[in-house]
Amino acid sequence: MPIALLRGDNFRLYRKIEIEPHPTLNLIVGDNAAGKTTLLEALFVAGRGRSFRAPALNELCGAEGPAWTLFMQIEGAEDRRIGVGWTRDGLETRLDDERGARLSDIVRSVPMQVLDPQAHRLLEEGPTYRRSFVDWGVFHVEHRFLEVWRRYQRALRQRNGALRAALEDRAIQAWDEELAQAGEEWSEMRAAHLAQAAPGLSRWSERLLGTSAARYHWARGWSEDIGLRDVLALNLEQHRRLGSTVQGPHRAELKISVDQAKAKGRVSRGQQKMLIAAMVLAQAELLSAAGAPTPVLLLDDFGSELAPEFQSRLAAGLALYPGQKFITAFEKLPAFEGLEGGMFHVEHGTIRSWKPLH
């Protein structure tokens, strides 16, 4: 389900945005500070209701005042119209004819993943980033995910609140059954998702890195040989001392290895970028195979940290991926020669021209 139209008003340095993207590959070129990344950000915000660059939506307002709007038209078996905007009253959403649409419904309508210069955090920083990566995929293929996740988070908050208040045992344990049931179901969804994604990771790492020995190693957040309900009971005194529940799926960890060595700190920045691209592409293919809309991929600063050989491998791999891609670069690189798609040239927050990529 490609994006057929993006419109926007007063979004950062863009007074107006209007593009009709190519259904497969879109290359966005321009100088530094021309608005290339901002165009990707507008697409991401329209599909996710948040930015991958700014923590607060009011930071996205341009020079025309304290408000911005974005509109996307999605084409496919079921055409969708998505509207997202911000005013001083907060975020406003629209899906087709429904005002105040749930953000989760918008996110499901157009799965979108970004690979930007900060993507290295997925390998280099704490497990929160990797858990979020897994949960993004599970959300799009398991319709019960959101309900189960909310049940777990509510029970965890209540149990931790009881621990911090030093309540009696039965007040704390009143939440154990709900926490254990939701936690084990959530954990099973994650493990199944990673098992299904593993063959794709091997294929994509072979294409991009030249090795099929990229592997996921998943630790669910508590011992594999005991149920979560029993873990909570056995560790109650520890949890009392810490004032927190320290076992469960909220403490899960995903580790990634290449050629039997941990990827973190062992591979170059360019190899990290290619490995993360392999992870994203494998997950995106899995979502499409599971019946979700084929994800839109946003790749910022394509050539950064990649030697010409890696650029060619990544461009060739992206050409094989059937979903829509938006890629930024300073100029059209040799890696894109002969590929089908379109190229936008942006300058000082204005989309100057569009032409076929080849």
Side-chain angles (χ1 to χ4, degrees), residues 6 16 35 38 40 55 63 114 141 159 165 172 175 180 203 227 235 237 258 277 310 317:
L6 172 71
K16 295 282 185 183
T38 298
L40 292 191
V114 63
V141 298
R159 189 177 193 271
I172 298 168
W175 295 101
R203 288 194 306 272
N235 291 278
E237 289 309 311
V258 179
F310 272 178

Side-chain angles (χ1 to χ4, degrees), residues 67 122 151 186 241 254 258 262 274 293 316 336 355:
L122 188 59
R151 282 175 52 206
W186 180 16
R241 289 196 305 272
L254 174 65
V258 179
K262 291 181 181 179
M274 296 293 271
F336 293 102
K355 64 180 181 180

